[in-house]
Amino acid sequence: MFFEQAIAHQIPNYTREADSAHGESLAMLDYKDELRIKDLAIQEFWDVNRLAGNPQKVIASPLSRGYRTTSKRRVYMEPGNLQFDRQESMLEPEEHNKIYDFLFEKLISPAYKPLAYALNWIIIRGTYKYRVVIFNIKKIDASIVRKLKLISDALKDSPLHVTAAHAYVDTTESAYYLEAKRPADGLNFKQLYGPRELSLNLGKFSLKYPVTGFSQINESQIHNLIKAASRMLSLSKEDHFLDLYCGYGLFSFALGEAAKSVLGVEWEGLSIESAKASAKYLKKNYRFVAGKIDEDFVQTRLPRPIPNEPEKILLDPPRKGCEPGVIHALAMRKPVRVAHVFCGTDEIPASLKEWERYGYRVREVQPLDLFPGTPHLETIVMLEKK
């Protein structure tokens, strides 16, 4: 069973066609009703797929609407006609819609026609306090640079509190808007104004990460996500903490103080460099390594576990899940505890069965509503060696 099927069983007349362009099929519900539906759906998903363990209550999001700190709009030109998705989203802050409206009014004017033809996406990132605009473009030349400069100057002078603007070249016109392969040669990122990094305040310290790097889109849930992972791993000064798919080091820095050592791994160069810079700035003796996390990497590139010293692993892969062989290679390290974070619920059954095959059992299942208004959950599953 797929998780969206379980959601559909709880809502009369639910269809995918009810989903809006922004994936907000549950956004019209009262949030208490949405949480009740998700609790019932994750339990049904667990039962039908005969999974070990029992999901706890879904942890509610402090912000149920207007929470997304990243949003995007596809832009393309049909002959003489600018196509720009101006549909307002209930899940995005109101300030995002104001910025998109401002940019649309600029782009429909003849003066910005070269830029309008070059655009793939307009992306807004940041926090609830500040915003950054990224122009994803399919090509760049002197004329387009001039128009980018003009429109970024207009943003800077506007009352919209846009603290930075950048251009990101994607000749593939990818649907992934920031994750596509960029040109190997020539210009692929242009800083128009403002900082090239974003910042996340974690209370005791802040972490910087690249404007094109991954970060959770629901900033209001990050504290609950960290708290749940901390409870499950229960790190101590005897433990070696391995943080896989660590990004810019969110879990490494939020949890690592309790561990004996910290090693973070992330494939993307800019994010891992941000983690290294944060470690240096915060004077943390943590190690961060760049590499594609596959079976070979785990077997040959990671340092071997130290005999008689416990290792605990946080595994937070992208929505599609781990590469084949990664769970097997990690199980061979015999960590005493693993917190496996699932962004895609449908990836859970196959992964848990693989962990079980290699001698691990489910001890705790904690869903979190990182995506209110949508038929999705983030779920942390804690596993221990049998």
Side-chain angles (χ1 to χ4, degrees), residues 15-34:
T15 63
R16 287 183 177 228
E17 286 69 29
D19 212 0
S20 76
H22 300 293
E24 302 177 10
S25 58
L26 306 185
M28 298 303 294
L29 297 173
D30 182 87
Y31 190 48
K32 288 182 180 179
D33 292 333
E34 181 184 344

Tab-separated table of all heavy atoms in Angstrom, residues 15-34:
chain	number	residue	atom	x	y	z
A	15	THR	N	-9.351	12.604	-4.459
A	15	THR	CA	-8.697	12.228	-5.715
A	15	THR	C	-7.445	13.059	-5.882
A	15	THR	O	-7.322	14.151	-5.325
A	15	THR	CB	-9.603	12.487	-6.940
A	15	THR	OG1	-9.864	13.888	-7.035
A	15	THR	CG2	-10.904	11.715	-6.828
A	16	ARG	N	-6.518	12.552	-6.679
A	16	ARG	CA	-5.310	13.325	-6.966
A	16	ARG	C	-5.646	14.614	-7.690
A	16	ARG	O	-4.923	15.602	-7.575
A	16	ARG	CB	-4.341	12.497	-7.822
A	16	ARG	CG	-3.656	11.393	-7.039
A	16	ARG	CD	-2.679	10.669	-7.907
A	16	ARG	NE	-1.975	9.650	-7.116
A	16	ARG	CZ	-0.673	9.497	-7.129
A	16	ARG	NH1	0.085	10.293	-7.851
A	16	ARG	NH2	-0.103	8.545	-6.412
A	17	GLU	N	-6.772	14.590	-8.455
A	17	GLU	CA	-7.153	15.792	-9.179
A	17	GLU	C	-7.518	16.930	-8.230
A	17	GLU	O	-7.498	18.093	-8.600
A	17	GLU	CB	-8.344	15.491	-10.098
A	17	GLU	CG	-7.989	14.673	-11.334
A	17	GLU	CD	-7.612	13.240	-11.023
A	17	GLU	OE1	-8.112	12.689	-10.007
A	17	GLU	OE2	-6.802	12.673	-11.775
A	18	ALA	N	-7.845	16.551	-6.968
A	18	ALA	CA	-8.150	17.590	-5.979
A	18	ALA	C	-6.898	18.332	-5.544
A	18	ALA	O	-6.960	19.405	-4.961
A	18	ALA	CB	-8.829	16.976	-4.757
A	19	ASP	N	-5.751	17.741	-5.864
A	19	ASP	CA	-4.473	18.349	-5.509
A	19	ASP	C	-4.254	19.594	-6.351
A	19	ASP	O	-4.466	19.587	-7.559
A	19	ASP	CB	-3.351	17.346	-5.789
A	19	ASP	CG	-2.199	17.486	-4.828
A	19	ASP	OD1	-2.291	18.355	-3.955
A	19	ASP	OD2	-1.233	16.732	-4.968
A	20	SER	N	-3.836	20.671	-5.746
A	20	SER	CA	-3.564	21.898	-6.486
A	20	SER	C	-2.188	21.841	-7.104
A	20	SER	O	-1.421	20.904	-6.911
A	20	SER	CB	-3.647	23.110	-5.551
A	20	SER	OG	-2.491	23.171	-4.741
A	21	ALA	N	-1.851	22.885	-7.852
A	21	ALA	CA	-0.542	22.950	-8.492
A	21	ALA	C	0.575	22.928	-7.472
A	21	ALA	O	1.700	22.568	-7.782
A	21	ALA	CB	-0.449	24.214	-9.346
A	22	HIS	N	0.292	23.311	-6.243
A	22	HIS	CA	1.333	23.352	-5.212
A	22	HIS	C	1.273	22.137	-4.290
A	22	HIS	O	1.924	22.117	-3.250
A	22	HIS	CB	1.204	24.641	-4.392
A	22	HIS	CG	1.357	25.877	-5.221
A	22	HIS	ND1	2.542	26.215	-5.813
A	22	HIS	CD2	0.469	26.824	-5.571
A	22	HIS	CE1	2.378	27.351	-6.488
A	22	HIS	NE2	1.136	27.733	-6.358
A	23	GLY	N	0.497	21.118	-4.644
A	23	GLY	CA	0.449	19.904	-3.828
A	23	GLY	C	-0.217	20.102	-2.490
A	23	GLY	O	0.259	19.605	-1.473
A	24	GLU	N	-1.341	20.815	-2.468
A	24	GLU	CA	-1.977	21.198	-1.203
A	24	GLU	C	-3.336	20.532	-1.030
A	24	GLU	O	-4.307	21.163	-0.639
A	24	GLU	CB	-2.113	22.724	-1.141
A	24	GLU	CG	-0.774	23.435	-1.283
A	24	GLU	CD	-0.914	24.949	-1.284
A	24	GLU	OE1	-2.014	25.450	-0.992
A	24	GLU	OE2	0.084	25.617	-1.578
A	25	SER	N	-3.418	19.240	-1.277
A	25	SER	CA	-4.713	18.565	-1.287
A	25	SER	C	-5.395	18.522	0.074
A	25	SER	O	-6.597	18.280	0.161
A	25	SER	CB	-4.563	17.153	-1.831
A	25	SER	OG	-3.633	16.414	-1.064
A	26	LEU	N	-4.663	18.741	1.168
A	26	LEU	CA	-5.263	18.727	2.503
A	26	LEU	C	-5.342	20.121	3.127
A	26	LEU	O	-5.774	20.268	4.275
A	26	LEU	CB	-4.462	17.807	3.436
A	26	LEU	CG	-4.228	16.372	2.962
A	26	LEU	CD1	-3.517	15.567	4.050
A	26	LEU	CD2	-5.523	15.700	2.574
A	27	ALA	N	-4.948	21.125	2.382
A	27	ALA	CA	-4.833	22.464	2.959
A	27	ALA	C	-6.174	23.091	3.317
A	27	ALA	O	-6.228	23.984	4.162
A	27	ALA	CB	-4.065	23.390	1.996
A	28	MET	N	-7.264	22.619	2.708
A	28	MET	CA	-8.571	23.202	3.006
A	28	MET	C	-9.176	22.638	4.286
A	28	MET	O	-10.178	23.138	4.782
A	28	MET	CB	-9.527	22.955	1.833
A	28	MET	CG	-9.087	23.586	0.527
A	28	MET	SD	-8.855	25.383	0.656
A	28	MET	CE	-10.542	25.901	0.949
A	29	LEU	N	-8.566	21.585	4.827
A	29	LEU	CA	-9.070	20.983	6.059
A	29	LEU	C	-8.674	21.801	7.278
A	29	LEU	O	-7.650	22.489	7.274
A	29	LEU	CB	-8.518	19.564	6.219
A	29	LEU	CG	-8.900	18.532	5.164
A	29	LEU	CD1	-8.117	17.241	5.420
A	29	LEU	CD2	-10.388	18.267	5.172
A	30	ASP	N	-9.467	21.698	8.341
A	30	ASP	CA	-9.030	22.187	9.636
A	30	ASP	C	-7.821	21.356	10.065
A	30	ASP	O	-7.785	20.136	9.849
A	30	ASP	CB	-10.152	22.043	10.655
A	30	ASP	CG	-9.765	22.574	12.022
A	30	ASP	OD1	-9.937	23.776	12.262
A	30	ASP	OD2	-9.291	21.756	12.845
A	31	TYR	N	-6.814	21.979	10.672
A	31	TYR	CA	-5.571	21.250	10.937
A	31	TYR	C	-5.772	20.097	11.923
A	31	TYR	O	-5.121	19.057	11.810
A	31	TYR	CB	-4.490	22.205	11.445
A	31	TYR	CG	-3.115	21.552	11.510
A	31	TYR	CD1	-2.627	20.818	10.431
A	31	TYR	CD2	-2.321	21.648	12.647
A	31	TYR	CE1	-1.384	20.210	10.476
A	31	TYR	CE2	-1.067	21.052	12.703
A	31	TYR	CZ	-0.609	20.334	11.613
A	31	TYR	OH	0.625	19.720	11.668
A	32	LYS	N	-6.680	20.243	12.864
A	32	LYS	CA	-6.958	19.132	13.788
A	32	LYS	C	-7.495	17.921	13.032
A	32	LYS	O	-7.138	16.780	13.320
A	32	LYS	CB	-7.960	19.574	14.858
A	32	LYS	CG	-7.388	20.546	15.887
A	32	LYS	CD	-8.421	20.896	16.942
A	32	LYS	CE	-7.842	21.855	17.968
A	32	LYS	NZ	-8.831	22.238	19.005
A	33	ASP	N	-8.350	18.183	12.031
A	33	ASP	CA	-8.866	17.085	11.211
A	33	ASP	C	-7.757	16.473	10.363
A	33	ASP	O	-7.705	15.248	10.191
A	33	ASP	CB	-9.993	17.594	10.310
A	33	ASP	CG	-11.239	17.991	11.097
A	33	ASP	OD1	-11.447	17.424	12.195
A	33	ASP	OD2	-11.983	18.863	10.628
A	34	GLU	N	-6.897	17.309	9.843
A	34	GLU	CA	-5.770	16.800	9.043
A	34	GLU	C	-4.875	15.887	9.876
A	34	GLU	O	-4.475	14.804	9.417
A	34	GLU	CB	-4.958	17.965	8.478
A	34	GLU	CG	-3.791	17.508	7.621
A	34	GLU	CD	-2.922	18.650	7.123
A	34	GLU	OE1	-3.371	19.819	7.169
A	34	GLU	OE2	-1.781	18.375	6.690
